[in-house]
Amino acid sequence: MIKDPITWMASMCRHSYEARWRHYPQHCPNLVPNKYDKGPKGQTPTQKTMKVKVKFATQHIGKEPIPDKKNRTFVEYDSLVELWNVWYGDWYDVVEFPRLMVRFEDLMFHAEDTVTQVCECGGGTMRSWFRYVEDSAKGQYGPHAGSAGFLASLVTYGNSTLRMEGILTDEKDVAYARQHLDTDLMDIFGYAPI
């Protein structure tokens, strides 16, 4: 599943999963440090971007990073933008085995057609009935507490003119995203440039 990088970054600010970086509600997504990104001693990071570390559970195969004692591998990215570029770019470039990439937005706005196509792609057929789940499909507990339901998500993702409203609020973050987001990948999946 791939998601528009702007709304994906906003989602990561709410539920960062195994991605770790210093971020605060006043400035997230934070691609370039500003006054809100001060450390515990009041110092702004000296790096030019807000680096992100992601913990992957993996087994060592070939040239992959070697896991720690608990079979965890931490991979550092320059920013959330680089994480989006690399994560989805690597999946797009897979040639060793079949893979299917579905846009989150297509499931949101064209669910029945998209699921029908996914079923046919996998050699199956769609049932004669289709039911939308109105509550959050992720549940309301643990890391997904506070996730939006279907109607709230339609409002959030359904207006392209509001795509960036309240998300990239710092001009330096917008400039960084414009310069560093993989525009070829965005174009392939039909995501508008910033």
Side-chain angles (χ1 to χ4, degrees), residues 42-176:
Q43 298 171 335
T44 300
T46 55
Q47 70 264 20
K48 294 181 180 181
T49 61
M50 293 302 292
K51 300 207 181 291
V52 178
K53 262 188 174 177
V54 180
K55 181 178 83 170
F56 294 98
T58 184
Q59 294 184 4
H60 183 66
I61 301 171
K63 295 182 179 180
E64 293 178 359
I66 297 173
D68 66 9
K69 294 176 190 172
K70 294 183 180 179
N71 198 33
R72 297 177 303 197
T73 301
F74 289 90
V75 178
E76 186 171 275
Y77 299 90
D78 283 338
S79 66
L80 283 173
V81 165
E82 186 189 22
L83 173 56
W84 188 89
N85 289 342
V86 171
W87 180 259
Y88 292 112
D90 284 354
W91 276 109
Y92 182 76
D93 292 338
V94 165
V95 294
E96 295 82 11
F97 55 86
R99 48 82 178 113
L100 176 67
M101 293 183 77
V102 178
R103 289 177 3 132
F104 168 83
E105 297 80 7
D106 291 333
L107 276 176
M108 173 69 60
F109 299 109
H110 312 286
E112 192 167 354
D113 289 339
T114 302
V115 172
T116 298
Q117 290 178 38
V118 169
C119 287
E120 290 170 0
C121 178
T125 56
M126 182 73 171
R127 293 180 177 168
S128 60
W129 54 271
F130 188 86
R131 181 176 67 93
Y132 286 91
V133 176
E134 294 182 17
D135 294 328
S136 171
K138 297 178 180 179
Q140 292 298 318
Y141 303 100
H144 300 291
S147 293
F150 181 66
L151 293 177
S153 294
L154 280 178
V155 171
T156 300
Y157 300 107
N159 187 335
S160 62
T161 60
L162 300 176
R163 174 181 178 222
M164 288 191 34
E165 186 171 301
I167 298 175
L168 288 177
T169 56
D170 188 293
E171 291 177 20
K172 289 181 180 178
D173 291 330
V174 173
Y176 181 87

